[in-house]
Amino acid sequence: MKRNHSAARALACALVLVCALVASASAQQLITPAAAPNDEGYSAKIKEYTTEKYFLTELVDHLPASATVPTTEKVLGYVAGAPNKLTYTKDLYRYYRALADASPRVRVFTAPEKSEEGREQLLIAISDEANLQKLDRYKEITARLADPRRTTDAEAQALIGEGKAMYWASGSIHSPETGSPEMLMEMAYRLAVEDSPFYDAIRKNLIVLITPVLEVDGRDRMVDVYNYRKANPGKNSPGLLYWGKYVAHDNNRDGLGMALALTRNMMKTFLEYHPTILHDLHESVPFLYTSTGTGPYNAWLDPLVVDEWHLLAYHEIEEMTKRGVPGVWTHGFYDGWAPNYMFYVANGHNSIGRFYETFGNGGADTMDRTVTQQAQRDWFRPNPPQPRVKWSMRNNVNMQQSAILLAMHFVAENKDRFLNNFYIKSKRSVAKAANEGPAAYVVPGDTPRPVEAAEMVNLLRLMGVEVQRATGEFTAKLPVAETRAARGGGEQGEGGAREGQGAATRTPAPMTERKFPAGSYIIRMDQPYSRMADMLLDTQYYNVNDPRPYDDTGWTLGALRNVETVRVTSKDVLGVPMEMLKEDARVRGRLTGRGAAYVVNNNTDNTLATLRFRLKDVKLSVAEDAFKVGTQSFNAGSYIIKAEGNPGDLRDRLEAAVTDLGLNAVAADAVPAVKTHDVGLPRIAILHTWQNTQNEGWFRVEFDKLQVPYSYISDHDIRDTPALRAKYDVIIFPPVGGSAQAIVNGIPLRGDPIPWQQSTVTPNMGNSPDTTADMRGGMGLAGVANLQRFVQEGGLFVAVQNTARVPLDYGITTGVTIADARQLQAAGSVYNATFSDRKSPIAYGYGETLPIYFNQAPLFQVAPPPGAGGGGGGAGQRPSGRGSLTDPDIVQAMPQAGPPPQRPPARPGEEQLTDEQRLQLGPFYTPPAERPRVVLRFARDERNLLVSGMLAGGQELANRPAIVDVPVGRGHVVLFANNPMWRHETQGSFFLLFNAALNFDHLDAGRDAAPAQPRPSADEDQQ
Ligand SMILES: [Zn+2]
């Protein structure tokens, strides 16, 4: 391959360009091409791989030649976007390092953390050589603009003049979206090599940052999958089952939890550079969607950033449309509401987060594609994609690269404007406490869950939010309504979180005062990243008449983590004596005294689960009721560890463990006189299918973090293991979509085996959490039978959300069904729930109520036994006749019968039957001990349901069972309507699952002692 060129070829190239220009609107508005020679071979291939001229622009229809700086063709052997070529991360990195070695305009850095599988994530910086030499100075400038508390307006203006905007492009967070890593290599080359006023402006005014691949583990597996497909034409090939170690597409929903290395890398890098723009490159809809969203937009952002989204999007649309490129549009596609996307490391921090969706083929094949919906012209899409198109990887590369270069140029030309906007947004974030409010959030220092409270403020600190601690007791003024709403709901019978907020004119709310102890965390809203903190801790209201939500609508972190978070509007709180946390909050637990037994309160701090497994050889029991040691109260479910019968070094080891885990243990002179049962070390399995691993990965994240051991098994293990009970005590089946049939049957057994394992063409698959020689087939009926036997022999099977369909529809359980929603609109939100059976071990350690994450389904109904008459008491119980609803019917012309016998009030899950009815039911009569036990219910009153998010048709959800414990043989099936381990956000619900697992062989505890109470409502089973 030669990079020499002839004058004739240059002329031919120029003519092609002119032809392209003639076809479009106006030549003057387009970019003057470089005077320098082109790499003719490379340029010819660009044209060859592009299916239509109108998918090229003058920016990407050629590649400038360089005598010193290598192209991808030189280093890797192919042109970026070449058919049949996807590049592994190691080769991407090899290219960038070669580029940096050859060009003083390119530098390579390494992100702070390696991926979960140990891969590097690179960060590339490209600018003028002089700018790169002063990179630290430019980082200092953006840092000072980011924090107006230490920068005056005059200083800021000088800094803006001196500073550079930073434009950060990130590739392939979504592994099947394969084009951006290829495109970014070529763009980096162009930015380093091409000399023209267009590129000079970019290099002079911008520092371009590139993250070549975000999901590095998933990228390499995707290249494996693609290469397998190419090596096995005509055969079934695997879909990309595993992306990262834990989650797939949801790696772009980690912006709230930051559980994944890739998100933390982006956050830490942001806080180091304060880039002006973070631009995430995605692929889905044709041909190029540039983000603005449909709204409702996130209500905590400075409106200026919303304007900037539109400004940038419409600039690209105009420039691309000018060039005759079809199908570049905005609006539509997603809403702009939830802050759980990766690019909130920018949007949530006063910078601009944006993304593209370009058309991707999922690999590097050229193919004919049909465009359906997006081919329609619409008000927001006057220039739609064509309905039928031959599409290539190169087309995708051209679209992404042309548009993002145009955006970079626009920002370069307007860098003072964007830097100034950044400064304005930062200033207004600091002014928030005094302006729109609130003044602060307070996490009370006497929170019952100190470990989770510390985890929550540490998450905020990871996001760059400053957290303070009160140095003494203080009092804060609170509106009466706020004291209730801010608790993350849960206060049944009091006003809901929305109370009064719809009023057109606001009258000052009545105020009350509340004392907070020393050590309370205070998150001030007069700091640069107040908006991020506010959007995480506040409550959300999503109007059901808004466009359909794209993702979750509510996420209030305090509620989901079951950590009380108080919104304080009174500015007095800012004057409270406090000091800044200089490092992460860490709760040091302690053990006091020495005695016959040690007691650890069950406060549902999640490290309690860690403690049980850390003290493997220690015998431990839990209290079935609340009790006291001296004056100290302990919840049901508290650990009681006797000195007798345990290792001699028990006290030392317990002390070390509780100190480390932030738990408090107390010695008791005598073993507390409370009913207990032993808690061993349950052998837990987390079950995945070979169809989808998205949701179960979030469960593995938590078990790994908390060091709770588990076996990771597939539905094939269930199918092939008749004696499951010999291996496991607890099998947890996290959510998988589809019908019970679809889950049980798995990938159809047609065609060839589909391996997911290491081979010469798939070298990265062996690292996957699980491997198989054939992904086809699910657990099958054999697996259902094995599961049934497992439960009957004393195992606990936990099904969450949709996987509940398997035990329900296949009849492992009876007495529970799933109702269809008719009116309910409850997309990914936080709802109040109440423990309806606090004696159940699943409720151990919890208060009366708990806010939970629920997403539309399932709606459980626990059927009364046949003949129980729906619980009685409602209208329609008597025929039309004399008197009132409650009067007995009087039949004429006969002696009147006496009233029917009074039945005692039913216990939860125990309906009232007369002896006569029991006889009639025969074998269908379910004795109370075998009936489903409703442990947690959604709030009884529809008006109290919603904490955060959306709700319509709430009467279908109100009072519904959220957790049902169904006895089956000697074991149990526990059904969750809520997801207790969702996206590292629902820490407050984890212990529901841990309680169930730890007490798997004593789940019937407290059943007999359930307090008598009337059935909550008669209509439960008629919805
Ligand atoms: Zn994507």
Side-chain angles (χ1 to χ4, degrees):
M1 196 264 321
K2 281 180 158 186
R3 274 176 281 110
N4 296 339
H5 76 288
S6 68
R9 295 200 71 171
L11 181 63
C13 183
L15 286 175
V16 170
L17 186 67
V18 170
C19 293
L21 300 191
V22 168
S24 57
S26 164
Q28 293 95 307
Q29 289 148 327
L30 302 180
I31 309 305
T32 314
N38 285 328
D39 181 331
E40 296 301 343
Y42 196 112
S43 303
K45 283 180 183 140
I46 291 174
K47 294 190 181 76
E48 180 190 335
Y49 302 152
T50 302
T51 62
E52 298 286 353
K53 272 197 193 115
Y54 46 74
F55 294 130
L56 273 174
T57 67
E58 82 284 9
L59 290 167
V60 297
D61 66 355
H62 67 282
L63 195 78
S66 169
T68 52
V69 181
T71 64
T72 58
E73 193 173 31
K74 185 148 190 214
V75 176
L76 304 176
Y78 49 89
V79 164
N84 308 322
K85 297 288 185 192
L86 290 185
T87 311
Y88 282 116
T89 52
K90 67 175 167 33
D91 296 322
L92 294 168
Y93 292 176
R94 188 156 59 89
Y95 177 70
Y96 283 109
R97 288 188 161 119
L99 192 63
D101 285 347
S103 171
R105 292 169 170 173
V106 181
R107 287 179 67 183
V108 172
F109 301 96
T110 310
E113 284 187 55
K114 287 195 169 161
S115 73
E116 283 76 5
E117 292 179 7
R119 288 178 180 81
E120 280 184 315
Q121 198 183 72
L122 291 195
L123 179 74
I124 318 299
I126 306 177
S127 192
D128 263 354
E129 188 177 355
N131 288 346
L132 288 187
Q133 279 168 357
K134 285 172 60 187
L135 187 57
D136 285 344
R137 171 62 184 159
Y138 294 121
K139 283 156 71 171
E140 188 191 335
I141 289 171
T142 49
R144 288 194 56 191
L145 294 175
D147 190 353
R149 293 172 304 182
R150 56 193 186 103
T151 311
T152 65
D153 284 354
E155 286 168 343
Q157 290 314 309
L159 290 169
I160 289 165
E162 182 193 347
K164 307 295 172 191
M166 297 191 196
Y167 200 115
W168 187 8
S170 57
S172 200
I173 190 172
H174 284 159
S175 306
E177 301 164 15
T178 52
S180 55
E182 313 295 333
M183 181 284 281
L184 288 168
M185 287 192 288
E186 183 178 294
M187 187 187 80
Y189 174 89
R190 258 178 228 288
L191 287 167
V193 166
E194 189 145 1
D195 283 313
S196 72
F198 180 85
Y199 288 95
D200 290 345
I202 293 177
R203 281 190 300 261
K204 177 164 173 278
N205 293 321
L206 277 194
I207 294 163
V208 173
L209 299 171
I210 296 173
T211 295
V213 180
L214 264 163
E215 178 58 271
V216 284
D217 301 332
R219 171 67 180 188
D220 284 350
R221 272 196 278 272
M222 180 63 209
V223 180
D224 278 6
V225 163
Y226 180 68
N227 290 344
Y228 180 91
R229 212 187 291 162
K230 302 304 284 183
N232 294 278
K235 282 192 175 177
N236 286 330
S237 58
L240 190 65
L241 185 76
Y242 293 102
W243 300 18
K245 179 180 176 183
Y246 291 116
V247 292
H249 190 269
D250 258 12
N251 59 10
N252 198 27
R253 300 294 182 279
D254 189 39
L256 285 172
M258 304 222 158
L260 306 177
L262 70 88
T263 323
R264 291 190 297 268
N265 276 338
M266 295 303 276
M267 189 70 255
K268 289 172 187 167
T269 304
F270 179 89
L271 294 173
E272 183 182 344
Y273 288 85
H274 302 94
T276 321
I277 293 174
L278 167 56
H279 190 146
D280 202 22
L281 296 162
H282 290 259
E283 292 164 26
S284 60
V285 292
F287 293 130
L288 193 159
Y289 168 83
T290 174
S291 64
T292 52
T294 59
Y297 293 135
N298 183 291
W300 294 263
L301 293 172
D302 191 310
L304 189 51
V305 76
V306 177
D307 299 333
E308 290 174 319
W309 294 343
H310 285 84
L311 176 70
L312 288 160
Y314 279 103
H315 177 75
E316 287 153 342
I317 294 167
E318 181 191 355
E319 290 298 321
M320 295 291 275
T321 306
K322 252 186 218 171
R323 287 164 172 77
V325 180
V328 182
W329 54 287
T330 190
H331 202 76
F333 189 70
Y334 106 122
D335 52 31
W337 173 248
N340 52 12
Y341 306 92
M342 184 282 296
F343 71 170
Y344 264 71
V345 306
N347 279 325
H349 294 80
N350 302 321
S351 283
I352 303 166
R354 57 196 312 257
F355 66 92
Y356 287 162
E357 299 286 342
T358 56
F359 208 28
N361 286 346
D365 299 344
T366 301
M367 53 176 85
D368 291 311
R369 300 281 301 272
T370 300
V371 176
T372 51
Q373 202 188 341
Q374 288 90 11
Q376 281 180 23
R377 200 165 47 78
D378 213 324
W379 68 263
F380 53 87
R381 194 165 47 218
N383 176 30
Q386 294 102 334
R388 183 82 179 150
V389 65
K390 184 192 260 314
W391 193 253
S392 67
M393 170 65 103
R394 185 65 216 187
N395 291 5
N396 185 8
V397 166
N398 293 341
M399 298 288 283
Q400 289 182 11
Q401 192 173 189
S402 300
I404 199 169
L405 284 169
L406 289 163
M408 285 176 177
H409 184 254
F410 180 70
V411 176
E413 296 280 275
N414 294 279
K415 70 103 177 159
D416 287 6
R417 171 181 177 183
F418 283 102
L419 287 176
N420 195 44
N421 282 356
F422 176 58
Y423 176 67
I424 290 170
K425 286 181 283 182
S426 302
K427 259 182 84 165
R428 296 205 292 220
S429 292
V430 175
K432 181 176 169 62
N435 198 5
E436 68 266 36
Y441 285 86
V442 176
V443 178
D446 53 358
T447 175
R449 306 179 76 235
V451 175
E452 290 309 321
E455 288 275 308
M456 190 175 82
V457 299
N458 291 343
L459 172 68
L460 294 173
R461 293 188 77 256
L462 177 61
M463 294 177 176
V465 175
E466 295 168 1
V467 177
Q468 325 266 340
R469 274 193 114 147
T471 51
E473 186 184 79
F474 67 97
T475 303
K477 284 203 249 6
L478 302 174
V480 175
E482 290 288 353
T483 60
R484 301 197 296 250
R487 291 178 192 204
E491 306 290 307
Q492 298 294 306
E494 298 186 74
R498 296 286 130 216
E499 195 171 79
Q501 293 190 7
T505 54
R506 292 188 186 185
T507 49
M511 301 294 274
T512 181
E513 287 201 331
R514 178 166 168 190
K515 270 201 176 109
F516 294 96
S520 295
Y521 299 112
I522 301 176
I523 300 113
R524 304 175 65 103
M525 293 292 111
D526 57 353
Q527 59 167 310
Y529 306 137
S530 60
R531 296 191 188 284
M532 192 78 216
D534 192 28
M535 72 179 76
L536 299 190
L537 300 176
D538 208 351
T539 51
Q540 289 82 44
Y541 174 73
Y542 194 105
N543 189 315
V544 294
N545 299 316
D546 270 326
R548 239 185 90 190
Y550 188 73
D551 200 77
D552 282 349
T553 60
W555 52 80
T556 308
L557 283 198
L560 287 177
R561 288 172 173 248
N562 198 19
V563 172
E564 189 189 6
T565 308
V566 183
R567 184 174 188 268
V568 183
T569 51
S570 167
K571 287 184 277 296
D572 297 351
V573 71
L574 300 171
V576 164
M578 60 180 94
E579 56 188 26
M580 174 110 75
L581 282 186
K582 296 281 195 304
E583 53 188 36
D584 275 355
R586 181 144 189 274
V587 180
R588 284 181 65 81
R590 54 188 231 153
L591 190 163
T592 42
R594 178 181 291 274
Y598 299 95
V599 181
V600 187
N601 187 36
N602 188 337
N603 61 353
T604 71
D605 257 340
N606 293 313
T607 48
L608 275 165
T610 316
L611 178 68
R612 170 61 275 191
F613 289 94
R614 193 171 285 185
L615 302 176
K616 281 185 179 39
D617 57 333
V618 168
K619 292 197 194 79
L620 184 155
S621 57
V622 302
E624 295 189 358
D625 288 299
F627 64 98
K628 280 192 169 184
V629 174
T631 54
Q632 229 176 316
S633 299
F634 291 87
N635 291 325
S638 294
Y639 293 172
I640 297 176
I641 306 169
K642 292 180 206 165
E644 193 187 330
N646 266 318
D649 60 351
L650 169 69
R651 193 189 180 284
D652 289 347
R653 287 168 56 202
L654 181 61
E655 182 169 33
V658 296
T659 304
D660 181 45
L661 297 172
L663 302 167
N664 283 320
V666 174
D669 294 338
V671 178
V674 60
K675 193 176 178 202
T676 63
H677 61 255
D678 290 344
V679 162
L681 300 166
R683 298 164 303 168
I684 301 171
I686 295 179
L687 169 60
H688 76 88
T689 68
W690 286 105
Q691 298 181 84
N692 187 306
T693 62
Q694 174 89 287
N695 294 311
E696 56 86 7
W698 292 117
F699 285 63
R700 283 185 284 126
V701 166
E702 309 308 347
F703 277 70
D704 287 349
K705 271 183 191 297
L706 291 164
Q707 300 162 28
V708 175
Y710 62 96
S711 304
Y712 185 51
I713 64 173
S714 78
D715 48 6
H716 292 174
D717 296 313
I718 297 290
R719 178 192 66 196
D720 301 337
T721 313
L724 286 167
R725 188 69 190 91
K727 298 177 88 167
Y728 311 112
D729 299 314
V730 180
I731 297 174
I732 299 169
F733 197 7
V736 182
S739 64
Q741 274 179 49
I743 294 169
V744 166
N745 291 343
I747 297 171
L749 280 159
R750 297 185 198 101
D752 307 295
I754 307 174
W756 185 279
Q757 61 189 10
Q758 192 157 356
S759 70
T760 48
V761 289
T762 58
N764 298 291
M765 282 195 181
N767 283 339
S768 302
D770 201 358
T771 58
T772 179
D774 190 1
M775 299 167 79
R776 297 172 309 154
M779 70 174 74
L781 288 177
V784 174
N786 290 341
L787 269 181
Q788 184 178 37
R789 188 174 316 119
F790 167 77
V791 178
Q792 280 174 337
E793 292 174 355
L796 165 63
F797 179 58
V798 178
V800 180
Q801 293 180 321
N802 197 57
T803 57
R805 292 187 179 276
V806 174
L808 267 52
D809 290 2
Y810 281 90
I812 294 176
T813 57
T814 56
V816 184
T817 54
I818 294 176
D820 292 331
R822 296 198 181 93
Q823 312 284 333
L824 181 69
Q825 293 185 59
S829 297
V830 190
Y831 300 101
N832 279 315
T834 304
F835 286 95
S836 50
D837 186 345
R838 295 193 68 204
K839 294 287 181 184
S840 164
I842 297 170
Y844 283 166
Y846 282 101
E848 300 281 337
T849 62
L850 180 71
I852 54 176
Y853 172 84
F854 174 77
N855 184 12
Q856 191 63 34
L859 298 179
F860 291 139
Q861 57 190 1
V862 175
Q877 288 285 301
R878 62 156 292 187
S880 304
R882 72 149 299 281
S884 69
L885 175 69
T886 50
D887 281 325
D889 191 33
I890 302 292
V891 184
Q892 302 301 311
M894 66 167 66
Q896 301 305 301
Q902 279 285 323
R903 290 184 273 183
R907 293 170 180 168
E910 186 185 332
E911 286 70 25
Q912 311 160 55
L913 290 184
T914 61
D915 290 344
E916 187 184 341
Q917 285 170 318
R918 280 185 205 195
L919 272 175
Q920 284 166 354
L921 283 167
F924 291 96
Y925 170 69
T926 316
E930 293 171 27
R931 288 191 198 146
R933 186 177 185 186
V934 179
V935 178
L936 185 71
R937 282 182 188 275
F938 288 95
R940 191 165 163 180
D941 185 339
E942 181 185 347
R943 290 168 303 177
N944 280 341
L945 258 179
L946 184 64
V947 177
S948 264
M950 74 188 295
L951 183 64
Q955 74 280 2
E956 289 184 309
L957 187 63
N959 206 39
R960 280 272 174 203
I963 299 178
V964 188
D965 169 12
V966 193
V968 177
R970 288 190 284 129
H972 289 256
V973 173
V974 171
L975 307 165
F976 280 80
N978 60 311
N979 187 336
M981 284 185 177
W982 176 242
R983 294 176 173 172
H984 199 53
E985 294 171 23
T986 56
Q987 281 77 353
S989 298
F990 291 177
F991 230 82
L992 297 167
L993 194 61
F994 290 137
N995 272 335
L998 290 170
N999 298 284
F1000 80 95
D1001 51 353
H1002 288 88
L1003 284 178
D1004 283 327
R1007 227 185 143 109
D1008 300 332
Q1013 55 176 254
R1015 291 193 64 204
S1017 76
D1019 60 349
E1020 170 184 314
D1021 310 298
Q1022 297 163 8
Q1023 287 164 342

